[in-house]
Amino acid sequence: MLIGLQASGKTTFYRQVLAATHAHVSKDAFPNARRPQRRQLSLIDEALAARRNVAVDNTNPSAEEWRPIIDAARSYRLRQPRLIDGFDALFVVRFAGAGFAVSPLIEQE
């Protein structure tokens, strides 16, 4: 899930880093929908049911907006990856001017 202010680089990050491996779901793709959250959740569900990775690209400013997305992901047994899962490293990505700042994810116990 990409979270950030409008024009903060979420879609650019998707295009540069995730486009080859993730389906793109954004409410911007259906601005005239009567129920954009429902449409978005339907597209997320379709992609996850097809075992595709999903990048949800919205402002997502509050827990009320991201909670249904997290719940949908969890229904497919997804959770935040951890180093003990076998990853060599995990990272947090932030937009930094002309590019992206990538820093190690600090796991909390």
Side-chain angles (χ1 to χ4, degrees):
M1 181 179 331
L2 304 172
I3 299 172
L5 297 174
Q6 293 172 337
S8 63
K10 298 178 300 297
T11 303
T12 300
F13 178 78
Y14 169 80
R15 288 179 184 145
Q16 291 180 3
V17 179
L18 301 174
T21 58
H22 289 68
H24 186 248
V25 177
S26 174
K27 289 179 188 174
D28 291 345
F30 37 91
N32 298 321
R34 288 192 298 176
R35 295 186 179 113
Q37 181 77 351
R38 182 181 291 179
R39 176 74 177 131
Q40 174 178 265
L41 290 172
S42 175
L43 293 171
I44 292 167
D45 187 61
E46 288 173 19
L48 292 174
R51 304 186 58 81
R52 296 182 64 205
N53 294 321
V54 180
V56 180
D57 175 7
N58 292 319
T59 305
N60 297 310
S62 67
E64 291 80 26
E65 291 201 28
W66 65 64
R67 175 59 54 202
I69 299 167
I70 292 170
D71 291 344
R74 285 192 174 141
S75 74
Y76 286 90
R77 306 181 67 80
L78 301 177
R79 62 170 171 75
Q80 181 174 329
R82 298 175 299 181
L83 291 172
I84 65 169
D85 294 326
F87 291 97
D88 292 330
L90 296 169
F91 299 93
V92 174
V93 179
R94 289 184 168 61
F95 183 65
F100 297 96
V102 180
S103 58
L105 174 68
I106 309 281
E107 291 189 39
Q108 297 183 7
E109 297 180 23

XYZ file of all heavy atoms in Angstrom:
860
model
N 0.851 -1.155 0.000
C 0.000 0.000 0.000
C 0.903 1.226 0.000
O 1.798 1.341 0.829
C -0.896 -0.012 1.236
C -1.829 1.153 1.273
S -2.940 1.195 2.695
C -3.178 -0.480 3.123
N 0.665 2.092 -0.965
C 1.419 3.333 -1.068
C 0.611 4.423 -0.378
O -0.539 4.664 -0.738
C 1.669 3.679 -2.530
C 2.370 2.575 -3.329
C 2.406 2.936 -4.799
C 3.752 2.326 -2.792
N 1.199 5.073 0.606
C 0.515 6.092 1.400
C 1.313 7.376 1.323
O 2.530 7.369 1.518
C 0.391 5.652 2.874
C -0.418 4.367 2.977
C -0.222 6.760 3.717
C -0.438 3.761 4.358
N 0.650 8.475 1.046
C 1.324 9.767 1.025
C 0.442 10.845 0.442
O -0.610 10.566 -0.128
N 0.880 12.075 0.594
C 0.131 13.206 0.067
C 0.044 13.135 -1.452
O 0.844 12.453 -2.104
C 0.802 14.512 0.476
C 0.857 14.773 1.984
C 1.674 16.024 2.274
C -0.536 14.897 2.554
N -0.894 13.883 -2.013
C -1.000 13.969 -3.469
C 0.313 14.520 -4.018
O 0.933 15.396 -3.418
C -2.156 14.869 -3.862
C -3.492 14.290 -3.481
C -4.634 15.268 -3.694
O -4.449 16.465 -3.715
N -5.825 14.728 -3.858
N 0.728 13.983 -5.152
C 1.953 14.404 -5.846
C 3.221 14.159 -5.036
O 4.224 14.836 -5.230
C 1.863 15.875 -6.256
N 3.184 13.152 -4.133
C 4.379 12.862 -3.334
C 5.258 11.789 -3.969
O 6.312 11.460 -3.431
C 3.986 12.443 -1.914
O 3.224 11.247 -1.932
N 4.835 11.234 -5.103
C 5.666 10.264 -5.812
C 5.196 8.828 -5.742
O 5.900 7.919 -6.191
N 4.010 8.591 -5.205
C 3.512 7.218 -5.086
C 3.406 6.525 -6.441
O 3.909 5.419 -6.620
C 2.146 7.209 -4.382
C 2.156 7.747 -2.970
C 0.769 7.751 -2.337
C -0.245 8.583 -3.075
N 0.023 10.021 -3.155
N 2.754 7.176 -7.386
C 2.572 6.566 -8.710
C 3.892 6.458 -9.442
O 4.153 5.456 -10.123
C 1.543 7.365 -9.530
O 0.310 7.419 -8.789
C 1.282 6.719 -10.878
N 4.749 7.437 -9.291
C 6.080 7.367 -9.913
C 6.855 6.186 -9.351
O 7.491 5.434 -10.100
C 6.857 8.678 -9.680
O 6.110 9.746 -10.268
C 8.237 8.617 -10.293
N 6.805 5.993 -8.048
C 7.473 4.841 -7.437
C 6.887 3.552 -7.998
O 7.624 2.634 -8.351
C 7.343 4.870 -5.914
C 7.972 3.678 -5.262
C 9.343 3.612 -5.096
C 7.192 2.609 -4.844
C 9.929 2.496 -4.515
C 7.773 1.491 -4.262
C 9.147 1.440 -4.095
N 5.565 3.484 -8.087
C 4.940 2.292 -8.657
C 5.492 2.024 -10.058
O 5.910 0.907 -10.366
C 3.409 2.420 -8.712
C 2.816 1.318 -9.539
C 2.642 0.053 -9.002
C 2.514 1.510 -10.888
C 2.167 -0.988 -9.775
C 2.030 0.478 -11.663
C 1.868 -0.766 -11.107
O 1.417 -1.800 -11.877
N 5.471 3.029 -10.899
C 5.908 2.852 -12.287
C 7.366 2.444 -12.386
O 7.722 1.596 -13.202
C 5.682 4.139 -13.073
C 4.226 4.420 -13.357
C 4.048 5.716 -14.105
N 2.642 6.026 -14.282
C 2.148 7.245 -14.267
N 2.930 8.291 -14.106
N 0.855 7.433 -14.434
N 8.225 3.038 -11.563
C 9.658 2.778 -11.653
C 10.076 1.472 -10.986
O 11.043 0.850 -11.413
C 10.451 3.933 -11.036
C 10.379 5.205 -11.835
C 11.172 6.340 -11.209
O 11.841 6.181 -10.191
N 11.091 7.510 -11.810
N 9.341 1.060 -9.950
C 9.815 -0.067 -9.155
C 8.870 -1.273 -9.163
O 9.331 -2.413 -9.215
C 10.080 0.395 -7.698
C 10.550 -0.752 -6.834
C 11.080 1.544 -7.672
N 7.575 -1.049 -9.141
C 6.634 -2.146 -8.943
C 5.851 -2.579 -10.176
O 5.238 -3.642 -10.164
C 5.629 -1.763 -7.844
C 6.218 -1.421 -6.472
C 5.119 -0.925 -5.543
C 6.940 -2.616 -5.888
N 5.839 -1.784 -11.214
C 4.962 -2.044 -12.360
C 5.144 -3.423 -12.976
O 4.171 -4.038 -13.420
C 5.145 -0.959 -13.414
N 6.340 -3.918 -12.991
C 6.585 -5.214 -13.633
C 6.057 -6.389 -12.816
O 5.830 -7.470 -13.362
C 8.083 -5.393 -13.869
N 5.813 -6.186 -11.523
C 5.456 -7.307 -10.665
C 4.140 -7.154 -9.914
O 3.696 -8.099 -9.266
C 6.562 -7.540 -9.613
O 6.742 -6.338 -8.856
C 7.877 -7.938 -10.284
N 3.523 -5.974 -9.962
C 2.328 -5.716 -9.169
C 1.200 -5.134 -10.014
O 1.441 -4.300 -10.879
C 2.634 -4.702 -8.053
C 3.488 -5.233 -6.969
N 4.823 -5.560 -7.141
C 3.193 -5.492 -5.676
C 5.316 -5.995 -6.008
N 4.354 -5.964 -5.101
N -0.020 -5.577 -9.731
C -1.196 -4.942 -10.321
C -1.358 -3.575 -9.663
O -1.093 -3.422 -8.474
C -2.436 -5.791 -10.069
N -1.787 -2.597 -10.423
C -1.954 -1.235 -9.921
C -3.430 -0.967 -9.655
O -4.247 -1.086 -10.564
C -1.413 -0.247 -10.961
C -1.405 1.162 -10.514
N -2.218 2.116 -11.068
C -0.676 1.786 -9.561
C -1.978 3.275 -10.482
N -1.058 3.108 -9.560
N -3.772 -0.639 -8.415
C -5.154 -0.307 -8.059
C -5.142 1.088 -7.461
O -4.467 1.341 -6.469
C -5.747 -1.316 -7.054
C -7.150 -0.895 -6.656
C -5.750 -2.716 -7.642
N -5.875 1.987 -8.096
C -5.944 3.365 -7.635
C -7.339 3.914 -7.882
O -7.909 3.712 -8.952
C -4.923 4.225 -8.381
O -5.078 5.584 -8.050
N -7.855 4.626 -6.898
C -9.163 5.266 -7.079
C -9.111 6.306 -8.195
O -10.143 6.656 -8.762
C -9.618 5.930 -5.784
C -10.002 4.938 -4.707
C -10.422 5.684 -3.451
C -10.622 4.743 -2.304
N -10.890 5.479 -1.054
N -7.930 6.798 -8.528
C -7.793 7.752 -9.633
C -8.240 7.148 -10.959
O -8.613 7.865 -11.881
C -6.339 8.222 -9.772
C -5.892 9.095 -8.608
O -6.756 9.576 -7.854
O -4.678 9.294 -8.466
N -8.236 5.833 -11.072
C -8.617 5.164 -12.312
C -10.128 5.159 -12.528
O -10.593 4.887 -13.631
C -8.086 3.730 -12.320
N -10.885 5.456 -11.494
C -12.348 5.482 -11.622
C -12.911 6.650 -10.808
O -13.636 6.457 -9.827
C -12.986 4.153 -11.215
C -12.334 3.460 -10.055
C -12.747 3.689 -8.749
C -11.285 2.584 -10.266
C -12.152 3.052 -7.682
C -10.677 1.947 -9.195
C -11.109 2.172 -7.906
N -12.596 7.890 -11.245
C -13.012 9.084 -10.490
C -14.513 9.306 -10.431
O -14.994 10.010 -9.548
C -12.319 10.225 -11.224
C -12.142 9.720 -12.620
C -11.896 8.236 -12.476
N -15.272 8.735 -11.344
C -16.714 8.961 -11.367
C -17.518 7.828 -10.731
O -18.744 7.828 -10.802
C -17.186 9.192 -12.805
C -16.550 10.425 -13.401
O -16.380 11.425 -12.730
N -16.161 10.336 -14.663
N -16.832 6.881 -10.124
C -17.530 5.763 -9.492
C -18.347 6.258 -8.306
O -17.898 7.120 -7.548
C -16.526 4.702 -9.041
N -19.526 5.696 -8.143
C -20.377 6.109 -7.020
C -19.833 5.610 -5.698
O -19.970 6.260 -4.675
C -21.796 5.608 -7.217
C -22.526 6.354 -8.308
C -23.983 6.064 -8.301
N -24.229 4.636 -8.549
C -25.416 4.077 -8.519
N -26.473 4.794 -8.232
N -25.566 2.798 -8.774
N -19.219 4.458 -5.709
C -18.653 3.879 -4.489
C -17.204 3.482 -4.759
O -16.902 2.294 -4.942
C -19.477 2.674 -4.068
C -20.887 3.047 -3.674
C -21.622 1.842 -3.123
N -22.957 2.239 -2.736
C -24.052 1.813 -3.334
N -23.974 0.984 -4.335
N -25.237 2.217 -2.909
N -16.288 4.455 -4.783
C -14.907 4.151 -5.153
C -14.220 3.161 -4.211
O -13.436 2.333 -4.661
C -14.212 5.509 -5.142
C -15.098 6.407 -4.367
C -16.479 5.871 -4.506
N -14.533 3.217 -2.921
C -13.901 2.273 -1.983
C -14.329 0.847 -2.294
O -13.516 -0.060 -2.300
C -14.255 2.646 -0.539
C -13.636 1.740 0.503
C -12.173 2.019 0.748
O -11.522 2.780 0.036
N -11.628 1.397 1.765
N -15.614 0.658 -2.600
C -16.109 -0.673 -2.939
C -15.464 -1.180 -4.229
O -15.062 -2.336 -4.332
C -17.629 -0.661 -3.084
C -18.193 -2.046 -3.398
C -19.671 -2.032 -3.561
N -20.296 -1.765 -2.269
C -21.604 -1.672 -2.086
N -22.422 -1.806 -3.106
N -22.098 -1.446 -0.888
N -15.359 -0.310 -5.224
C -14.731 -0.680 -6.505
C -13.268 -1.052 -6.279
O -12.779 -2.044 -6.807
C -14.848 0.483 -7.497
C -14.159 0.259 -8.810
C -14.926 -0.718 -9.674
N -14.263 -0.844 -10.953
C -13.970 -2.010 -11.518
N -14.347 -3.130 -10.962
N -13.354 -2.055 -12.668
N -12.586 -0.246 -5.479
C -11.180 -0.521 -5.182
C -11.018 -1.884 -4.497
O -10.174 -2.691 -4.889
C -10.619 0.576 -4.280
C -9.208 0.302 -3.794
C -8.694 1.430 -2.948
O -8.021 2.295 -3.466
N -9.019 1.448 -1.677
N -11.837 -2.147 -3.490
C -11.741 -3.422 -2.784
C -12.052 -4.597 -3.701
O -11.445 -5.665 -3.581
C -12.656 -3.417 -1.562
C -12.206 -2.505 -0.422
C -13.282 -2.418 0.649
C -10.886 -2.967 0.152
N -12.970 -4.407 -4.631
C -13.281 -5.459 -5.593
C -12.072 -5.775 -6.475
O -11.751 -6.939 -6.708
C -14.475 -5.035 -6.452
O -14.720 -5.977 -7.457
N -11.389 -4.735 -6.948
C -10.198 -4.944 -7.783
C -9.069 -5.593 -6.993
O -8.352 -6.460 -7.513
C -9.737 -3.616 -8.380
C -10.675 -2.992 -9.400
C -10.217 -1.584 -9.760
C -10.766 -3.864 -10.638
N -8.909 -5.195 -5.738
C -7.888 -5.813 -4.887
C -8.198 -7.286 -4.700
O -7.330 -8.149 -4.843
C -7.805 -5.085 -3.530
C -7.249 -3.674 -3.718
C -6.958 -5.874 -2.539
C -7.408 -2.784 -2.504
N -9.454 -7.597 -4.404
C -9.869 -8.980 -4.208
C -9.635 -9.815 -5.462
O -9.135 -10.941 -5.385
C -11.335 -9.029 -3.786
C -11.754 -10.425 -3.401
O -11.167 -10.972 -2.439
O -12.660 -10.981 -4.060
N -9.975 -9.261 -6.624
C -9.762 -9.990 -7.881
C -8.284 -10.309 -8.089
O -7.929 -11.425 -8.476
C -10.272 -9.165 -9.064
C -11.769 -9.077 -9.162
C -12.211 -8.111 -10.265
O -11.404 -7.794 -11.156
O -13.370 -7.674 -10.211
N -7.426 -9.335 -7.852
C -5.991 -9.547 -8.054
C -5.449 -10.564 -7.056
O -4.690 -11.467 -7.427
C -5.236 -8.229 -7.943
N -5.819 -10.421 -5.785
C -5.325 -11.369 -4.780
C -5.851 -12.776 -5.032
O -5.126 -13.755 -4.854
C -5.705 -10.885 -3.380
C -4.999 -9.609 -2.906
C -5.571 -9.154 -1.578
C -3.499 -9.800 -2.834
N -7.103 -12.888 -5.461
C -7.661 -14.207 -5.775
C -6.908 -14.863 -6.925
O -6.784 -16.085 -6.975
C -9.145 -14.083 -6.103
N -6.384 -14.039 -7.834
C -5.598 -14.549 -8.955
C -4.125 -14.725 -8.574
O -3.292 -14.999 -9.429
C -5.716 -13.605 -10.148
N -3.826 -14.538 -7.285
C -2.465 -14.702 -6.742
C -1.481 -13.699 -7.336
O -0.313 -14.003 -7.545
C -1.989 -16.138 -6.885
C -2.968 -17.126 -6.224
C -2.489 -18.539 -6.195
N -1.238 -18.770 -5.530
C -1.047 -18.886 -4.211
N -2.062 -18.722 -3.407
N 0.128 -19.134 -3.710
N -1.980 -12.511 -7.624
C -1.124 -11.437 -8.133
C -0.757 -10.494 -6.995
O -1.568 -10.254 -6.104
C -1.845 -10.650 -9.228
C -2.151 -11.500 -10.450
C -2.826 -10.710 -11.535
N -1.928 -9.666 -12.020
C -2.347 -8.549 -12.586
N -3.628 -8.325 -12.744
N -1.489 -7.657 -13.011
N 0.428 -9.943 -7.049
C 0.811 -8.889 -6.116
C 0.033 -7.629 -6.464
O -0.267 -7.374 -7.630
C 2.305 -8.592 -6.220
C 3.147 -9.748 -5.757
O 2.828 -10.417 -4.794
N 4.231 -9.997 -6.456
N -0.284 -6.823 -5.456
C -1.097 -5.625 -5.660
C -0.414 -4.426 -5.023
O 0.057 -4.511 -3.888
C -2.494 -5.789 -5.022
C -3.330 -4.541 -5.236
C -3.200 -7.007 -5.567
N -0.391 -3.328 -5.750
C 0.039 -2.039 -5.201
C -1.181 -1.139 -5.177
O -1.744 -0.821 -6.212
C 1.142 -1.428 -6.056
N -1.608 -0.750 -3.977
C -2.747 0.147 -3.822
C -2.178 1.554 -3.730
O -1.458 1.886 -2.798
C -3.579 -0.195 -2.572
C -4.762 0.752 -2.446
C -4.054 -1.639 -2.640
N -2.503 2.367 -4.709
C -1.898 3.693 -4.881
C -2.957 4.776 -4.663
O -3.671 5.140 -5.570
C -1.322 3.765 -6.302
C -0.759 5.117 -6.663
O -0.676 6.000 -5.793
O -0.404 5.290 -7.839
N -3.063 5.232 -3.420
C -4.009 6.284 -3.058
C -3.367 7.154 -1.988
O -2.361 6.786 -1.404
C -5.303 5.699 -2.488
C -6.104 4.957 -3.510
O -6.233 5.394 -4.642
N -6.638 3.809 -3.124
N -3.999 8.263 -1.698
C -3.520 9.109 -0.607
C -3.577 8.341 0.709
O -2.661 8.421 1.517
C -4.361 10.399 -0.513
O -4.335 11.036 -1.789
C -3.812 11.341 0.526
N -4.647 7.570 0.924
C -4.808 6.736 2.120
C -4.434 7.480 3.401
O -3.547 7.070 4.141
C -3.957 5.462 2.002
C -4.392 4.604 0.850
O -5.560 4.306 0.698
N -3.446 4.214 0.012
N -5.117 8.600 3.703
C -4.682 9.453 4.796
C -5.030 8.984 6.206
O -4.545 9.563 7.167
C -5.411 10.768 4.507
C -6.664 10.338 3.838
C -6.274 9.141 3.017
N -5.846 7.957 6.340
C -6.264 7.577 7.692
C -6.487 6.076 7.802
O -6.653 5.375 6.811
C -7.566 8.297 8.042
O -8.611 7.810 7.231
N -6.512 5.637 9.050
C -6.764 4.216 9.305
C -8.119 3.779 8.776
O -8.274 2.636 8.342
C -6.667 3.941 10.805
N -9.098 4.687 8.769
C -10.420 4.340 8.251
C -10.351 3.959 6.778
O -11.132 3.147 6.306
C -11.409 5.502 8.435
C -11.765 5.771 9.878
C -10.695 6.587 10.616
O -9.948 7.356 9.973
O -10.594 6.428 11.844
N -9.420 4.566 6.051
C -9.286 4.253 4.626
C -8.412 3.030 4.385
O -8.664 2.275 3.467
C -8.739 5.459 3.871
C -9.741 6.587 3.821
C -9.472 7.556 2.713
O -8.893 7.160 1.683
O -9.843 8.725 2.871
N -7.370 2.848 5.177
C -6.505 1.705 4.891
C -6.931 0.427 5.607
O -6.571 -0.657 5.188
C -5.029 2.009 5.094
C -4.556 2.311 6.483
C -4.563 1.473 7.556
C -3.964 3.523 6.945
N -4.036 2.088 8.646
C -3.647 3.338 8.309
C -3.664 4.730 6.346
C -3.041 4.329 9.069
C -3.067 5.715 7.115
C -2.763 5.516 8.448
N -7.735 0.509 6.661
C -8.143 -0.697 7.382
C -8.845 -1.714 6.475
O -8.506 -2.898 6.510
C -9.035 -0.312 8.575
C -9.626 -1.495 9.329
C -8.605 -2.459 9.904
N -7.639 -1.771 10.740
C -6.434 -2.266 11.014
N -6.067 -3.432 10.560
N -5.591 -1.596 11.757
N -9.816 -1.336 5.617
C -10.449 -2.335 4.750
C -9.455 -2.982 3.774
O -9.604 -4.156 3.420
C -11.521 -1.547 3.986
C -11.755 -0.324 4.793
C -10.463 -0.026 5.482
N -8.464 -2.231 3.363
C -7.451 -2.779 2.450
C -6.598 -3.801 3.189
O -6.323 -4.891 2.675
C -6.592 -1.642 1.861
C -7.480 -0.687 1.058
C -5.467 -2.214 1.001
C -6.799 0.626 0.711
N -6.188 -3.466 4.394
C -5.403 -4.406 5.206
C -6.221 -5.653 5.505
O -5.721 -6.773 5.407
C -4.918 -3.718 6.495
C -3.894 -2.638 6.155
C -4.333 -4.728 7.476
C -3.532 -1.732 7.307
N -7.493 -5.461 5.841
C -8.360 -6.614 6.102
C -8.471 -7.514 4.873
O -8.447 -8.738 4.995
C -9.748 -6.156 6.547
C -9.743 -5.518 7.931
O -8.758 -5.690 8.689
O -10.736 -4.831 8.252
N -8.586 -6.907 3.688
C -8.659 -7.705 2.457
C -7.367 -8.497 2.263
O -7.397 -9.683 1.927
C -8.914 -6.796 1.255
N -6.240 -7.848 2.489
C -4.956 -8.542 2.341
C -4.836 -9.680 3.349
O -4.399 -10.781 3.000
C -3.803 -7.554 2.512
N -5.240 -9.427 4.563
C -5.150 -10.472 5.594
C -6.049 -11.659 5.282
O -5.753 -12.786 5.669
C -5.473 -9.900 6.957
C -4.330 -9.073 7.493
C -4.521 -8.754 8.952
N -3.322 -8.082 9.429
C -3.330 -7.074 10.274
N -4.477 -6.636 10.758
N -2.207 -6.525 10.652
N -7.143 -11.420 4.595
C -8.013 -12.543 4.253
C -7.313 -13.507 3.302
O -7.716 -14.648 3.172
C -9.335 -12.042 3.657
O -9.144 -11.569 2.336
N -6.253 -13.061 2.668
C -5.433 -13.925 1.820
C -4.143 -14.295 2.541
O -3.152 -14.654 1.940
C -5.123 -13.224 0.488
C -6.327 -13.185 -0.406
C -7.217 -12.126 -0.354
C -6.593 -14.233 -1.270
C -8.345 -12.099 -1.154
C -7.721 -14.223 -2.069
C -8.588 -13.155 -1.997
O -9.703 -13.145 -2.796
N -4.144 -14.177 3.889
C -3.031 -14.556 4.759
C -1.781 -13.738 4.502
O -0.670 -14.193 4.686
C -2.736 -16.040 4.657
C -3.949 -16.922 4.907
C -3.625 -18.363 4.829
N -2.760 -18.795 5.895
C -3.107 -19.081 7.122
N -4.375 -18.986 7.464
N -2.233 -19.483 8.011
N -1.930 -12.485 4.129
C -0.780 -11.611 3.943
C -0.504 -10.856 5.232
O -1.405 -10.493 5.968
C -1.051 -10.604 2.817
C -1.352 -11.209 1.454
C -1.669 -10.102 0.467
C -0.184 -12.032 0.970
N 0.745 -10.614 5.502
C 1.147 -9.824 6.654
C 2.472 -9.157 6.333
O 3.116 -9.470 5.326
C 1.269 -10.699 7.889
C 2.335 -11.786 7.725
C 2.591 -12.470 9.039
N 3.418 -13.634 8.885
C 4.728 -13.608 8.673
N 5.370 -12.478 8.566
N 5.410 -14.733 8.550
N 2.893 -8.241 7.193
C 4.173 -7.576 6.963
C 5.280 -8.616 7.039
O 5.324 -9.423 7.967
C 4.412 -6.494 8.016
C 5.726 -5.773 7.802
C 5.895 -4.607 8.763
O 4.929 -3.999 9.163
N 7.111 -4.322 9.117
N 6.163 -8.615 6.057
C 7.263 -9.575 6.106
C 8.214 -9.263 7.256
O 8.316 -8.122 7.697
C 7.950 -9.397 4.748
C 7.522 -8.072 4.262
C 6.213 -7.770 4.884
N 8.894 -10.300 7.724
C 9.876 -10.160 8.797
C 11.153 -10.860 8.375
O 11.138 -11.758 7.527
C 9.337 -10.783 10.082
C 8.074 -10.100 10.579
C 7.499 -10.807 11.772
N 7.150 -12.171 11.359
C 6.601 -13.079 12.134
N 6.322 -12.791 13.369
N 6.316 -14.281 11.686
N 12.252 -10.465 8.967
C 13.534 -11.083 8.635
C 13.518 -12.583 8.904
O 14.102 -13.355 8.139
C 14.669 -10.403 9.404
C 14.980 -8.978 8.975
C 15.976 -8.343 9.926
C 15.504 -8.939 7.549
N 12.811 -13.014 9.951
C 12.795 -14.451 10.254
C 12.064 -15.260 9.189
O 12.144 -16.480 9.176
C 12.200 -14.746 11.652
C 10.731 -14.357 11.727
C 12.992 -14.076 12.744
C 10.037 -14.857 12.989
N 11.385 -14.576 8.269
C 10.720 -15.257 7.159
C 11.715 -15.690 6.092
O 11.340 -16.321 5.109
C 9.672 -14.344 6.514
C 8.519 -14.046 7.464
O 8.155 -14.924 8.264
O 7.978 -12.928 7.389
N 12.983 -15.319 6.263
C 13.996 -15.719 5.305
C 14.516 -14.597 4.427
O 15.363 -14.816 3.569
N 14.015 -13.384 4.627
C 14.512 -12.256 3.842
C 15.900 -11.869 4.336
O 16.198 -11.943 5.526
C 13.577 -11.040 3.984
C 12.251 -11.240 3.338
C 11.162 -11.648 4.077
C 12.090 -11.015 1.979
C 9.919 -11.835 3.484
C 10.866 -11.199 1.369
C 9.783 -11.613 2.124
N 16.740 -11.466 3.418
C 18.058 -10.954 3.800
C 17.950 -9.547 4.361
O 18.731 -9.149 5.222
C 19.005 -10.932 2.587
C 19.350 -12.339 2.127
O 19.368 -13.260 2.964
O 19.585 -12.507 0.920
N 16.989 -8.778 3.870
C 16.789 -7.403 4.325
C 15.387 -6.942 3.960
O 14.793 -7.437 3.002
C 17.827 -6.484 3.681
N 14.867 -5.985 4.724
C 13.587 -5.342 4.449
C 13.815 -3.841 4.476
O 14.621 -3.354 5.267
C 12.540 -5.735 5.503
C 12.178 -7.217 5.525
C 11.352 -7.542 6.764
C 11.414 -7.588 4.269
N 13.083 -3.116 3.616
C 13.344 -1.693 3.468
C 12.067 -0.866 3.508
O 10.997 -1.328 3.136
C 14.054 -1.429 2.134
C 15.376 -2.128 2.039
C 15.458 -3.384 1.466
C 16.524 -1.533 2.534
C 16.673 -4.048 1.389
C 17.735 -2.184 2.459
C 17.818 -3.443 1.883
N 12.224 0.396 3.915
C 11.182 1.409 3.838
C 11.598 2.354 2.724
O 12.757 2.763 2.650
C 11.056 2.191 5.166
C 10.071 3.334 5.029
C 10.661 1.253 6.290
N 10.655 2.690 1.839
C 10.958 3.565 0.701
C 10.207 4.871 0.869
O 9.006 4.882 1.113
C 10.557 2.891 -0.633
C 10.855 3.807 -1.808
C 11.250 1.549 -0.780
N 10.939 5.982 0.723
C 10.326 7.313 0.798
C 10.771 8.126 -0.401
O 11.900 7.975 -0.879
C 10.745 8.033 2.076
C 10.134 7.444 3.336
C 10.489 8.253 4.567
N 9.752 7.936 5.753
C 9.730 6.772 6.381
N 10.378 5.765 5.894
N 9.040 6.602 7.480
N 9.872 8.991 -0.869
C 10.205 9.905 -1.961
C 11.187 10.940 -1.433
O 11.016 11.481 -0.348
C 8.938 10.585 -2.482
C 9.175 11.478 -3.650
C 9.607 10.960 -4.853
C 8.976 12.835 -3.546
C 9.826 11.780 -5.943
C 9.187 13.671 -4.620
C 9.621 13.134 -5.822
N 12.231 11.211 -2.208
C 13.269 12.157 -1.774
C 13.675 13.038 -2.945
O 14.664 12.777 -3.621
C 14.479 11.405 -1.222
N 12.890 14.073 -3.205
C 13.229 15.001 -4.283
C 13.133 14.346 -5.638
O 12.065 14.000 -6.090
N 14.261 14.149 -6.286
C 14.286 13.589 -7.636
C 14.295 12.066 -7.651
O 14.252 11.458 -8.701
C 15.511 14.116 -8.384
N 14.355 11.447 -6.497
C 14.420 9.982 -6.460
C 13.738 9.443 -5.221
O 12.821 10.052 -4.687
N 14.222 8.312 -4.748
C 13.639 7.656 -3.595
C 14.715 7.376 -2.563
O 15.821 6.980 -2.901
C 12.969 6.336 -4.011
C 11.825 6.563 -4.948
C 11.989 6.475 -6.316
C 10.572 6.892 -4.452
C 10.936 6.695 -7.180
C 9.511 7.117 -5.310
C 9.687 7.018 -6.669
N 14.357 7.581 -1.290
C 15.254 7.250 -0.182
C 14.837 5.879 0.329
O 13.676 5.652 0.641
C 15.138 8.292 0.925
N 15.763 4.989 0.383
C 15.506 3.626 0.826
C 16.300 3.409 2.108
O 17.506 3.629 2.147
C 15.932 2.605 -0.252
C 15.668 1.186 0.213
C 15.222 2.898 -1.576
N 15.612 2.996 3.168
C 16.296 2.745 4.438
C 15.840 1.392 4.996
O 14.736 0.935 4.694
C 16.014 3.864 5.441
O 14.630 3.983 5.663
N 16.699 0.779 5.795
C 16.328 -0.518 6.365
C 15.105 -0.398 7.261
O 14.924 0.600 7.962
C 17.546 -0.905 7.193
C 18.671 -0.068 6.684
C 18.042 1.192 6.185
N 14.263 -1.410 7.231
C 13.103 -1.464 8.120
C 13.590 -1.929 9.478
O 14.257 -2.955 9.589
C 12.051 -2.441 7.584
C 10.853 -2.699 8.490
C 9.997 -1.440 8.597
C 10.035 -3.844 7.975
N 13.272 -1.164 10.501
C 13.618 -1.537 11.865
C 12.434 -2.296 12.428
O 11.341 -1.743 12.579
C 13.901 -0.291 12.754
C 14.897 0.641 12.076
C 14.301 -0.717 14.144
C 16.320 0.255 12.161
N 12.631 -3.567 12.712
C 11.537 -4.373 13.240
C 11.344 -4.079 14.714
O 12.311 -3.959 15.461
C 11.833 -5.857 13.047
C 11.800 -6.288 11.605
C 11.889 -7.786 11.465
O 11.277 -8.515 12.271
O 12.586 -8.227 10.555
N 10.094 -3.969 15.129
C 9.778 -3.758 16.533
C 9.342 -5.076 17.137
O 8.598 -5.823 16.518
C 8.694 -2.713 16.691
C 9.132 -1.358 16.171
C 8.065 -0.311 16.417
O 7.080 -0.548 17.076
N 8.296 0.864 15.864
N 9.809 -5.339 18.308
C 9.459 -6.608 18.969
C 8.142 -6.514 19.675
O 7.635 -5.554 20.024
C 10.556 -6.993 19.959
C 11.862 -7.238 19.233
C 12.972 -7.619 20.191
O 12.667 -8.099 21.285
O 14.125 -7.441 19.830
